[in-house]
């Protein structure tokens, strides 16, 4: 079974639209792999952001010439320090492996120099820094990634993700193993090598993401979400959300809607 997970599920950050980070949609051919390109310019009053587990991995390119880094999948929420001008490439966690020359087993909650995971990146980094427009930067990044892409992907991972999302994360690793017709150990090895996390953690992160996307809806119902996502009760759901997001529902919704007390701007 080969399909694009992005056609049935996309991930969300903690940020409202247009508050300092511009997100640019990738080309059609890269859309199953790249959540977005993004850019932060140091000409905005928005200097601090909440970063949440978004089931993505990022290449972060400082536009002042500082070394680029690769940031793996995370299960931690944190507040960023001042970034300076940055251009970024955000990959879906399950789609980054075909671009890298190493596995991701050591990248969970980690950041490493870009040369640790990509070959000959300095040339495209310099070209992106020197580019005059964001459109040129995206074009350079896309050409580099398309040249690098090896086309490999694991059908077991894709099938496991499909099963998880289709069933609103009301699944166990044994369920995924049965669905994919592989042993539990084999499935765990493939997830850790290609994504950097276990199938169980992937289920938990996807469930948190689904809950976050429910939470920011105008008619959020905690009881409905708890039932839909298979939580024991609302208290279990609340604690799980706070563990990943770093705040409770009320503060999370307020930050999303009004840029929060962390930001230096105010919206109506």
């Amino acid at each position: 079974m080969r399909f694009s997970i992005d056609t049935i599920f996309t991930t969300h950050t903690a940020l409202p639209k247009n508050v300092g980070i511009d997100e640019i949609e990738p080309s059609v051919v890269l859309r199953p792999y790249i959540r977005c390109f993004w850019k932060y310019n140091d000409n905005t009053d928005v200097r601090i952001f909440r970063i949440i587990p978004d089931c993505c991995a990022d290449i972060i390119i400082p536009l002042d010439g500082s070394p680029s880094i690769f940031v793996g999948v995370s299960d931690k929420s944190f507040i960023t320090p001042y970034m300076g001008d940055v251009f970024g490439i955000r990959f879906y966690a399950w789609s980054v492996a075909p671009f890298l020359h190493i596995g991701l087993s050591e990248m969970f909650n980690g950041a490493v120099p870009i040369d640790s995971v990509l070959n000959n990146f300095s040339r495209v980094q310099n070209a992106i820094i020197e580019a005059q427009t964001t459109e040129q930067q995206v074009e350079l990044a896309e050409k580099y990634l398309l040249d690098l892409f090896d086309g490999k992907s694991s059908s077991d991972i894709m099938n496991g993700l499909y099963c998880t999302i289709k069933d609103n994360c009301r699944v166990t690793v044994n369920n995924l193993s049965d669905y994919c017709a592989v042993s539990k150990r084999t499935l765990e090895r493939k997830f850790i090598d290609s994504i950097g996390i276990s199938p169980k953690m992937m289920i938990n992160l996807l469930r948190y993401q689904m809950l976050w996307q429910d939470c920011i809806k105008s008619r959020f119902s905690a009881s409905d979400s708890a039932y839909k996502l298979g939580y024991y009760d609302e208290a279990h759901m609340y604690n799980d959300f706070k563990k990943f997001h770093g705040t409770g529902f009320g503060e999370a919704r307020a930050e999303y809607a009004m840029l929060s007390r962390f930001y230096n701007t105010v919206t109506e």
Side-chain angles (χ1 to χ4, degrees), residues 7 18 23 49 51 78 90 93 98-99 116 124 163 169 184 197 201 220 224:
T7 62
N18 303 318
E23 296 184 349
F49 302 96
I51 304 298
F78 60 93
R90 184 177 300 143
F99 298 93
S116 301
V124 71
C163 178
C169 301
K184 182 179 176 181
I197 60 177
M201 177 57 74
F220 171 55
D224 287 350

Side-chain angles (χ1 to χ4, degrees), residues 166-196:
K166 175 180 65 72
D167 290 343
N168 289 322
C169 301
R170 299 169 64 104
V171 294
T172 66
V173 179
N174 285 333
N175 295 148
L176 300 189
S177 175
D178 291 342
Y179 185 83
C180 297
V182 297
S183 71
K184 182 179 176 181
R185 178 172 293 183
T186 296
L187 192 65
E188 289 177 340
R189 176 180 54 78
K190 289 185 175 184
F191 266 77
I192 290 172
D193 188 54
S194 295
I195 302 178

Side-chain angles (χ1 to χ4, degrees), residues 167-171 206-212 214 223-232 237:
D167 290 343
N168 289 322
C169 301
R170 299 169 64 104
V171 294
L206 286 170
R207 182 161 68 166
Y208 156 71
Q209 266 287 315
M210 290 181 179
L211 178 57
W212 167 232
D214 278 356
S223 59
D224 287 350
S225 291
Y227 176 77
K228 179 181 78 173
L229 298 173
Y231 285 101
Y232 301 129
M237 180 179 71

Side-chain angles (χ1 to χ4, degrees), residues 7-132:
T7 62
I8 60 172
F9 180 78
T10 56
T11 64
H12 285 194
T13 64
L15 301 178
K17 296 292 185 181
N18 303 318
V19 294
I21 292 182
D22 294 324
E23 296 184 349
I24 304 98
E25 190 174 50
S27 62
V28 173
V29 68
L30 283 176
R31 209 164 291 165
Y33 310 96
I34 308 294
R35 175 65 176 88
C36 67
F37 299 95
W38 58 272
K39 190 171 183 180
Y40 173 81
N41 289 314
D42 185 27
N43 58 5
T44 174
D45 291 331
V46 182
R47 297 294 184 91
I48 301 175
F49 302 96
R50 181 181 297 279
I51 304 298
I52 61 172
D54 60 359
C55 299
C56 290
D58 287 80
I59 294 173
I60 299 178
I61 306 167
L63 297 179
D64 64 359
S66 300
S68 296
I69 61 173
F70 175 81
V71 181
V73 181
S74 174
D75 67 347
K76 309 295 184 185
S77 168
F78 60 93
I79 305 301
T80 64
Y82 165 70
M83 290 192 293
D85 291 352
V86 172
F87 180 81
I89 306 170
R90 184 177 300 143
F91 298 85
Y92 289 112
W94 46 85
S95 299
V96 65
F99 298 93
L100 307 182
H101 65 68
I102 66 169
L104 290 169
S105 59
E106 304 299 323
M107 300 299 175
F108 182 46
N109 282 331
V112 298
I114 196 66
D115 291 339
S116 301
V117 296
L118 287 174
N119 293 319
N120 303 317
F121 191 76
S122 58
R123 182 178 299 177
V124 71
Q125 173 181 334
N126 292 335
I128 287 172
I129 291 171
E130 294 170 3
Q132 299 299 306

